[in-house]
Amino acid sequence: MRSILHVDMDAFYASVEQLDQPQFKGRPVIVGADPRAGKGRGVVAACSYEARKFGVRSALPISRAWKLCPEGVYVRPRMERYSEVSGQVMEVFRRYTDLVEPLSIDEAFLDITGSVTLLGAPEQIAVSIKKEVRQATGLTASVGLAPNKFLAKIASDLKKPDGFVVVEEKDIEQFLAPLPISRLWGVGPKTEQRIREMGYQTIGQVAAASREALIRSLGSLGEHLYQLSRGKDDRPVVPDWEPKSTSSETTFDEDTNDRELLLSTILDLSDHVAERLRKDGYRARRVTLKLRYSNFSTHTKQSSLDKFVQTGEEIAEVARRLFAKFSLKQKIRLIGVSVGDLHRDGADPQQLGLFPQSNDKEKLSRTVDEIKQKFGADAVRRGSQLR
Ligand SMILES: [Mg+2]
């Protein structure tokens, strides 16, 4: 069974405005066109929960909003700022899975099925995503957790703001039954009207209807709605993003040419990069080492391997060979390790041959990942890292 999250920021544009302008907190904030004292054209793009109490909704004509809520705070959208915050939110999502499908600037589906072994139960993952989003942005998100996208999206909307609703397999029928048919994905006002004319108001009534009758009057949409009304939806979460590389670097407190310190730093950075690869389910075939000297001149060297790697030791081995080619006459200010030419870990069956069997280093690394997950990042260190 899959674990799908739908995460949706609460009143996103308006919440960002309230965050950036604390004097707007607790007030009805309406983001959209200029109201021009009721003569404005255009619509409401978003509004705060305080504004919703006045009957203001997104997509409402701004002149209408002005009539409903003349004491509102009217602001123009600042898309650049919203997309900056959106980037922070999506970054949090991608810490938990690379199967992130953004639906818009402030919501996404996440398939966390594969994250469960390493990161804990789905409920726990959902709760920590909410927490991390709040820490990263100061904003709240509502989350739905369910076996599929359709149910997760409905669930995230039920307890807004700051909501968290879980739909378990055994509760699906009960969960859907009382909801209005407009909640069915793909049902616009016209279809809604037709279904009502057939005598159905709720999803439960559609689920209990005859499948043949639904298909007779609605064609293939009838079949689709019949499946949805029973909570069946096998659409996959399709990520829009593939990492091209992943990297880690560090700037020393004091410039150094201490070879031992530099080599152990390379191992630390390689471990960090490898951990990220394993978490995201990738392997890499190219390693790049970057050095910045005290005069700020920056140099890189890279090497491609004949196999795909995923452990810190294997990456560090290549990085150390690259390091040997650099001069240490000048002191070093910054050192970085990055890996590229990434391939998904066994995602493509034709590539399975590339990764025949986990080697011992990989097994050990995975065990270390699990220990760190349970006991904290400092729980395990290499002997060579004990200083
Ligand atoms: Mg939203």
Side-chain angles (χ1 to χ4, degrees):
M1 203 188 65
R2 296 184 297 158
S3 293
I4 308 296
L5 295 180
H6 180 255
V7 188
D8 188 15
M9 300 301 290
D10 301 319
F12 184 56
Y13 298 173
S15 303
V16 173
E17 295 304 333
Q18 289 179 321
L19 178 79
D20 290 352
Q21 322 257 12
Q23 72 272 24
F24 293 171
K25 284 219 171 91
R27 298 184 58 190
V29 172
I30 295 148
V31 182
D34 186 343
R36 306 175 65 152
K39 293 197 176 64
R41 298 159 66 86
V43 297
V44 174
C47 60
S48 69
Y49 287 93
E50 293 85 355
R52 291 178 198 197
K53 288 186 193 136
F54 292 83
V56 179
R57 295 278 177 276
S58 59
L60 202 68
I62 199 82
S63 53
R64 178 93 188 109
W66 182 268
K67 281 198 193 82
L68 291 169
C69 185
E71 63 266 65
V73 178
Y74 288 81
V75 294
R76 302 299 86 68
R78 294 182 298 141
M79 292 313 298
E80 219 168 280
R81 171 70 178 133
Y82 308 149
S83 81
E84 180 191 15
V85 179
S86 171
Q88 294 165 348
V89 172
M90 300 292 167
E91 196 191 309
V92 169
F93 297 166
R94 288 180 183 121
R95 284 179 209 155
Y96 290 84
T97 172
D98 48 25
L99 292 176
V100 176
E101 179 181 341
L103 292 184
S104 71
I105 191 166
D106 78 321
E107 57 179 311
F109 285 117
L110 284 67
D111 186 337
I112 55 165
T113 315
S115 316
V116 168
T117 354
L118 207 57
L119 301 176
E123 291 82 3
Q124 242 173 289
I125 295 178
V127 168
S128 54
I129 288 177
K130 273 170 70 77
K131 205 170 102 194
E132 283 200 41
V133 164
R134 190 165 202 150
Q135 280 166 355
T137 65
L139 302 174
T140 61
S142 291
V143 177
L145 165 62
N148 62 50
K149 286 168 123 177
F150 167 59
L151 295 165
K153 180 135 165 80
I154 294 180
S156 71
D157 197 44
L158 289 183
K159 297 232 168 113
K160 274 182 155 291
D162 204 11
F164 176 36
V165 173
V166 184
V167 187
E168 287 188 56
E169 190 90 47
K170 62 176 172 48
D171 304 326
I172 292 176
E173 205 187 311
Q174 219 184 342
F175 172 79
L176 286 176
L179 298 174
I181 48 175
S182 56
R183 291 273 186 180
L184 288 168
W185 164 61
V187 172
K190 259 193 189 158
T191 316
E192 186 179 341
Q193 188 54 36
R194 285 185 64 187
I195 303 173
R196 281 186 194 287
E197 279 161 11
M198 293 171 72
Y200 311 130
Q201 318 286 325
T202 66
I203 295 182
Q205 288 166 342
V206 175
S210 134
R211 181 176 172 187
E212 285 67 35
L214 285 167
I215 296 174
R216 219 178 303 125
S217 31
L218 299 165
S220 60
L221 182 64
E223 168 70 21
H224 165 77
L225 297 181
Y226 181 75
Q227 297 297 340
L228 282 185
S229 71
R230 297 169 162 244
K232 295 204 166 58
D233 170 24
D234 52 17
R235 288 172 296 158
V237 171
V238 182
D240 70 335
W241 174 88
E242 289 276 323
K244 288 187 176 58
S245 68
T246 179
S247 65
S248 184
E249 60 180 47
T250 190
T251 304
F252 295 104
D253 294 337
E254 259 178 64
D255 297 353
T256 180
N257 54 7
D258 176 346
R259 183 176 297 273
E260 211 177 309
L261 172 64
L262 289 162
L263 285 172
S264 91
T265 306
I266 285 174
L267 183 57
D268 278 346
L269 296 172
S270 302
D271 274 340
H272 197 251
V273 164
E275 211 176 310
R276 175 87 214 190
L277 282 178
R278 291 192 297 272
K279 191 173 156 198
D280 292 348
Y282 284 90
R283 286 161 193 267
R285 195 158 57 170
R286 192 176 57 238
V287 176
T288 304
L289 183 73
K290 173 165 98 175
L291 292 188
R292 180 168 299 146
Y293 289 105
S294 35
N295 66 0
F296 280 87
S297 69
T298 305
H299 304 265
T300 61
K301 287 190 197 295
Q302 64 179 40
S303 173
S304 283
L305 313 178
D306 53 3
K307 59 172 184 170
F308 288 87
V309 298
Q310 203 182 36
T311 71
E313 271 178 54
E314 288 166 305
I315 294 167
E317 200 181 301
V318 182
R320 277 194 294 260
R321 279 207 300 273
L322 294 169
F323 176 72
K325 299 179 183 169
F326 281 98
S327 148
L328 287 185
K329 275 183 199 142
Q330 243 200 90
K331 287 190 174 176
I332 287 163
R333 177 182 167 77
L334 170 149
I335 189 162
V337 172
S338 79
V339 292
D341 193 2
L342 303 189
H343 288 249
R344 196 179 283 279
D345 207 353
D348 178 358
Q350 290 185 322
Q351 286 184 1
L352 280 179
L354 291 170
F355 317 129
Q357 282 258 295
S358 279
N359 59 34
D360 288 347
K361 282 175 189 163
E362 288 183 1
K363 282 181 199 149
L364 178 63
S365 297
R366 290 219 178 82
T367 309
V368 170
D369 289 343
E370 282 169 31
I371 294 172
K372 284 183 173 175
Q373 188 58 39
K374 277 190 187 137
F375 302 107
D378 290 331
V380 194
R381 282 185 182 279
R382 292 178 196 282
S384 62
Q385 286 165 316
L386 296 171
R387 292 176 144 258

